Amino acid sequence: MAEAVELEAGGRTVRLSNPGKVFFPERGYTKLDLARYYLAVGPGILRALRERPTTLERYPDGVGGEWFYQKRAPKNMPDWIPTAHITFPSGRSADEMCPTEVGAVVWAAQYGTLTFHPWPVRRADVDRPDELRIDLDPQPGTDFRDAVRAAHELRAVLDEFGGLRGWPKTSGGRGLHVFVPIEPRWTFTQVRRAAIAVGRELERRMPEHVTIKWWKEERGRKIFVDYNQTARDRTIASAYSVRPRPHAPVSAPLRWEEVGDARPEDFDITTMPARYAEAGDVHADMDDHRFSLDALLELAARDEREHGLADLPYPPEYPKMPGEPKRVQPSRARKP
């Protein structure tokens, strides 16, 4: 291993130990390569993380080693990185790091952080999301192209219900994410309800291609709208985050006109810096907008009132929630 190096990151000096440690054996990418990548896209990932409580997905020995999610701020975290106190569905709480400068991202990379998972809130108000996040998740037998088809119809749904605008990005895998900046007026429960309404409307329009069924046995070969990614303490990889796959792909922000031609495998820690240098952060204007969920919440109320479509199951680690249906997969449900 080479001796430690010091990197300049937005006015901070961050020490990188073992810079030659290989994190991606298939391509030979090292810890230093990872840190330099985050420096190259620094303003972009900082825009995605700024002031947000952030969970770190850490791979101290690279993608072939053990890994874990770090929710609590590390004890050795510098005092110039602020935190926010957040509460989990279990009732437990923790202080999570809230990056406010690029140095915090590089510091986390020093400790093997590949992927950053920011909450959809800012530390000034950790109970009211300022983003509606739609996760289009390809199920077995479907792929990125199927997600693209769903994303284009999703764009129309968002526009129809409240004139909402979404900013799309690759997941870093086979899926697509669409983020909508919203006014921080609604609770996690209400934002999740809006996501369910979006999913149901998309399912009605594309019944052969899209599903909002929570149980895998019911989904089929469709794109799953994972509405539970909007539940408290469920997060989505940030834009520009590196994903833990052999070729070091990244979650790539896209313009809508690029979605149809994009290929997830084209975006990794070696190609994204060049794209960023040429095009900049194509989602840079997200924070200039704030939309209302009123129309989607009215759609949710109409679905319940006219079609009897109420809440859907929460993730298994959640306590039983008010109004939630029976949380048991259909094949195991007790027959009448």
Side-chain angles (χ1 to χ4, degrees), residues 18-84:
N18 297 330
K21 188 174 187 176
V22 176
F23 274 9
F24 295 89
E26 184 175 292
R27 300 289 177 88
Y29 301 147
T30 65
K31 181 194 287 191
L32 182 58
D33 292 324
L34 177 69
R36 284 175 171 164
Y37 163 75
Y38 278 128
L39 283 174
V41 299
I45 192 166
L46 185 60
R47 188 266 312 156
L49 301 178
R50 190 187 302 276
E51 302 279 353
R52 298 190 184 280
T54 300
T55 297
L56 309 179
E57 187 176 346
R58 292 179 55 188
Y59 290 75
D61 295 314
V63 293
E66 295 185 2
W67 64 279
F68 58 95
Y69 289 110
Q70 176 132 20
K71 294 187 177 183
R72 298 179 184 277
K75 292 182 179 180
N76 64 337
M77 193 174 72
D79 58 11
W80 49 266
I81 301 178
T83 62

Side-chain angles (χ1 to χ4, degrees), residues 72-303:
R72 298 179 184 277
K75 292 182 179 180
N76 64 337
M77 193 174 72
D79 58 11
W80 49 266
I81 301 178
T83 62
H85 194 72
I86 48 91
T87 303
F88 304 118
S90 64
R92 296 180 179 179
S93 61
D95 294 322
E96 285 204 354
M97 72 177 295
C98 297
T100 55
E101 48 189 293
V102 176
V105 178
V106 179
W107 177 87
Q110 146 68 12
Y111 292 96
T113 300
L114 300 187
T115 308
F116 295 83
H117 296 266
W119 282 46
V121 300
R122 309 281 181 166
R123 65 190 179 109
D125 186 350
V126 296
D127 293 314
R128 296 187 184 277
D130 68 348
E131 286 181 346
L132 169 66
R133 299 172 173 180
I134 308 297
D135 181 4
L136 301 176
D137 185 9
Q139 300 303 289
T142 63
D143 57 20
F144 183 75
R145 301 261 63 85
D146 297 296
V148 165
R149 184 187 308 179
H152 284 304
E153 189 62 38
L154 169 62
R155 187 184 186 188
V157 169
L158 292 173
D159 183 63
E160 183 173 334
F161 290 92
L164 307 184
R165 176 185 167 193
W167 277 255
K169 68 183 184 69
T170 68
S171 67
R174 300 186 306 135
L176 269 169
H177 303 150
V178 178
F179 285 11
V180 180
I182 60 174
E183 300 165 6
R185 294 199 284 124
W186 297 275
T187 65
F188 278 93
T189 301
Q190 291 171 309
V191 174
R192 178 179 174 275
R193 183 172 171 83
I196 291 174
V198 168
R200 282 175 169 153
E201 181 64 22
L202 200 56
E203 187 179 53
R204 279 190 286 265
R205 298 183 183 201
M206 307 180 74
E208 301 302 317
H209 302 286
V210 171
T211 182
I212 199 171
K213 300 289 187 184
W214 175 248
W215 303 107
K216 291 182 180 180
E217 64 187 36
E218 294 187 299
R219 293 177 191 170
R221 295 160 59 102
K222 298 179 181 181
I223 297 299
F224 171 49
V225 181
D226 190 352
Y227 61 90
N228 269 330
Q229 292 290 53
T230 54
R232 178 184 286 273
D233 193 34
R234 295 295 285 256
T235 56
I236 294 178
S238 77
Y240 300 103
S241 270
V242 179
R243 307 313 308 275
R245 295 180 174 86
H247 61 293
V250 304
S251 179
L254 300 171
R255 304 181 182 94
W256 275 109
E257 57 267 27
E258 298 177 302
V259 169
D261 297 323
R263 299 192 310 166
E265 59 270 24
D266 289 341
F267 307 106
D268 60 33
I269 67 170
T270 60
T271 61
M272 180 55 80
R275 170 181 165 85
Y276 191 90
E278 178 181 353
D281 178 15
V282 298
H283 286 187
D285 64 333
M286 269 189 69
D287 288 342
D288 297 335
H289 302 269
R290 286 288 177 266
F291 296 98
S292 170
L293 292 181
D294 287 342
L296 284 179
L297 291 173
E298 173 53 34
L299 174 62
R302 188 163 70 244
D303 278 344

